[in-house]
Amino acid sequence: MKVLHLSDIHLGSSFNHGKINPATGRNTRLEDFLRNLSICIDEALREEVDLVLFAGDAFPNSTPPPYIQSAFASQFRRLAEAGIPTVFLVGNHDQHSPGEGGTSLSIYNTLGVPNIIVAEKIATHTISAKSGILQVVALPWLTPKLLLTKEETAGATLAEVERLFLQKIQVILEAEIRRLQPQHPAILLAHLMAEKATVGAERYLSVGKGFCIPLSLLIRPEFDYVALGHVHKHQNLNPQNNPPVVYAGSIERVDFSEENEEKGFVLVHIRGKNQVEWEFRPLPARPFVTIEVDLTTSNNPQKTLLSAIAQKKIHEAVVRVIYRIRPEQQDTINIKQLHQALSEAHSYTLKAETVTHLDRTRLPEIGTGNTLTPLEALTLYLENRKDLQDLKGDILAAAKQLLEKSLPS
Ligand SMILES: [Mn+2]
């Protein structure tokens, strides 16, 4: 049995890193995201998978423009038409207003699109796939407001709310686990922030920060695989693989915090109960490149900056150049030449950080009762000036000489 697990599509984001493609009239970043999404769908069809699991966050928010909704739908339509069941799990970015406003994905349920299941609530879906029965326990994005009553949280501290919230999830999940049929494979599909996960962009994208879910709630022998969404960096949180607890990660770089992350999806092979193998399949995500240069000590800032740019692979990349410069050096920068040097980038930003004076380092706090001799003060000062470390001995020796001369004999 084969399952394709993808997550965090965020279709319609990162437009500020793109430009209009004159041939299509569309933002190039929408085209990047769509290319990677269509590769996922191509692979699902080519591999003839039994099931596709989308672990949440379809768009940057729950009300995407119609043309972006259509682009998303036309990709998943290919799975529906091929008879491949697909589960859409609701992530935090898909909810309109928790518990009330519905989700950007609800329309698929309303229309009753064959082979597409929208998981908006905690529930177990028993799916008759091509090569057998699969059970998917769906755990969409949850907040205390969705699970706890006003009476339960009245007067409670944040720590108490967290404890009640986790307790509730545990009870609900336990009930789902007990109802599983042990003879069929079971997958937990969840959109959450798991303890131990290394976060990327999602830290900045989430408005209300949710609670971390302990791994002990997810690592259960009843599950053959745990398919996670929410964190954009691909990772397996359970190296023992009993079961694998895997974030597929986002399919494209959403912003610069994902500069060094590989992007892709996961192909899961279920050979039998608790006999699971999985592989990460990379996607051709657009490179993001940060070029950071300190020009304050350069004799030729323009040359230093140009050579820093020349050292990076910027072809068709999203580039940001950040340079530190002193006000009196600014006239030496030829912006036109920089634009030329960056012209082979897909898009770029230039940011100058003007340093008005060299950063003053603070001396450690001295208790009021203490007085320092001039030599002690100088020693402390030199310890805080990394740039003067080589001269420290000489300066102290010279100071000593001067002080001795000035002291009355
Ligand atoms: Mn999310």
Side-chain angles (χ1 to χ4, degrees):
M1 239 179 229
K2 276 192 234 175
V3 176
L4 189 143
H5 164 206
L6 80 158
S7 188
D8 295 84
I9 296 171
H10 287 271
L11 198 66
S13 62
S14 187
F15 274 24
N16 55 324
H17 300 123
K19 52 194 177 190
I20 297 298
N21 177 351
T24 59
R26 293 208 286 200
N27 189 292
T28 52
R29 291 297 286 153
L30 176 64
E31 292 179 338
D32 287 349
F33 280 66
L34 274 176
R35 177 200 55 226
N36 284 1
L37 176 56
S38 73
I39 293 173
C40 294
I41 308 294
D42 289 346
E43 285 298 289
L45 296 170
R46 201 176 61 81
E47 294 279 354
E48 298 181 5
V49 299
D50 290 271
L51 175 69
V52 170
L53 297 174
F54 166 51
D57 285 355
F59 311 104
N61 58 53
S62 66
T63 53
Y67 76 103
I68 291 175
Q69 277 181 350
S70 300
F72 180 89
S74 62
Q75 287 303 325
F76 283 100
R77 178 186 174 158
R78 296 161 60 205
L79 295 178
E81 283 178 350
I84 297 177
T86 302
V87 182
F88 287 166
L89 183 72
V90 168
N92 51 319
H93 291 269
D94 306 318
Q95 291 175 345
H96 189 261
S97 48
E100 296 150 22
T103 79
S104 56
L105 300 166
S106 307
I107 192 71
Y108 296 90
N109 257 357
T110 311
L111 291 171
V113 180
N115 298 316
I116 290 186
I117 297 161
V118 183
E120 296 182 70
K121 293 186 176 128
I122 302 181
T124 300
H125 303 270
T126 305
I127 296 160
S128 297
K130 187 168 42 84
S131 14
I133 288 179
L134 270 162
Q135 302 169 96
V136 177
V137 178
L139 193 65
W141 178 257
L142 293 169
T143 59
K145 210 184 149 190
L146 283 170
L147 284 190
L148 302 172
T149 61
K150 275 191 186 131
E151 289 72 32
E152 283 172 305
T153 53
T157 63
L158 198 63
E160 282 163 355
V161 171
E162 179 174 21
R163 194 181 53 81
L164 282 171
F165 176 62
L166 292 177
Q167 220 170 42
K168 204 108 181 184
I169 291 182
Q170 188 167 18
V171 169
I172 299 171
L173 203 58
E174 198 61 48
E176 296 299 327
I177 289 172
R178 284 187 193 183
R179 282 201 293 265
L180 289 172
Q181 297 169 274
Q183 70 273 31
H184 300 303
I187 294 173
L188 173 66
L189 173 66
H191 194 93
L192 49 80
M193 177 64 79
E195 222 176 57
K196 268 172 77 178
T198 324
V199 292
E202 194 51 40
R203 190 174 7 178
Y204 309 104
L205 294 177
S206 299
V207 185
K209 203 178 149 270
F211 292 112
C212 277
I213 309 295
L215 274 180
S216 57
L217 282 188
L218 312 176
I219 298 178
R220 295 287 300 253
E222 292 86 352
F223 296 131
D224 296 274
Y225 180 80
V226 179
L228 297 181
H230 189 53
V231 173
H232 290 189
K233 184 182 164 60
H234 161 66
Q235 56 201 296
N236 175 17
L237 297 176
N238 185 20
Q240 282 85 45
N241 281 313
N242 60 344
V245 178
V246 179
Y247 278 108
S250 49
I251 60 165
E252 243 295 336
R253 296 189 172 91
V254 170
D255 64 28
F256 273 96
S257 69
E258 299 176 46
E259 180 171 343
N260 300 317
E261 295 172 6
E262 197 171 16
K263 297 294 153 195
F265 63 91
V266 178
L267 196 62
V268 189
H269 304 265
I270 302 173
R271 315 229 183 261
K273 193 70 196 162
N274 297 114
Q275 282 178 286
V276 169
E277 284 159 34
W278 62 275
E279 52 177 311
F280 178 72
R281 294 266 181 103
L283 287 166
R286 189 175 290 282
F288 274 49
V289 177
T290 299
I291 301 170
E292 220 170 343
V293 204
D294 186 357
L295 300 175
T296 55
T297 54
S298 169
N299 299 326
N300 190 340
Q302 180 76 5
K303 200 179 151 201
T304 308
L305 194 47
L306 285 174
S307 86
I309 293 169
Q311 276 165 34
K312 295 273 189 162
K313 280 188 194 156
I314 61 165
H315 182 70
E316 278 305 320
V318 174
V319 179
R320 64 172 173 183
V321 180
I322 305 164
Y323 59 95
R324 280 162 63 87
I325 194 162
R326 297 196 310 266
E328 65 271 22
Q329 293 175 304
Q330 259 158 359
D331 286 346
T332 67
I333 298 294
N334 180 344
I335 294 286
K336 209 179 149 189
Q337 219 174 28
L338 293 182
H339 286 314
Q340 219 155 27
L342 289 163
S343 60
E344 63 164 312
H346 181 72
S347 68
Y348 61 88
T349 51
L350 276 168
K351 190 180 165 205
E353 284 175 358
T354 313
V355 182
T356 44
H357 53 82
L358 286 174
D359 289 343
R360 282 173 182 273
T361 39
R362 279 182 74 95
L363 290 179
E365 295 282 333
I366 308 289
T368 43
N370 294 333
T371 46
L372 291 172
T373 67
L375 213 55
E376 283 167 339
L378 182 63
T379 311
L380 264 178
Y381 172 72
L382 289 171
E383 269 164 18
N384 282 280
R385 281 290 299 266
K386 290 196 185 89
D387 51 330
L388 296 178
Q389 287 311 298
D390 293 342
L391 299 169
K392 197 173 141 189
D394 289 347
I395 293 173
L396 279 173
K400 238 183 218 169
Q401 252 182 352
L402 282 171
L403 284 166
E404 272 161 12
K405 269 186 206 162
S406 63
L407 288 174
S409 51

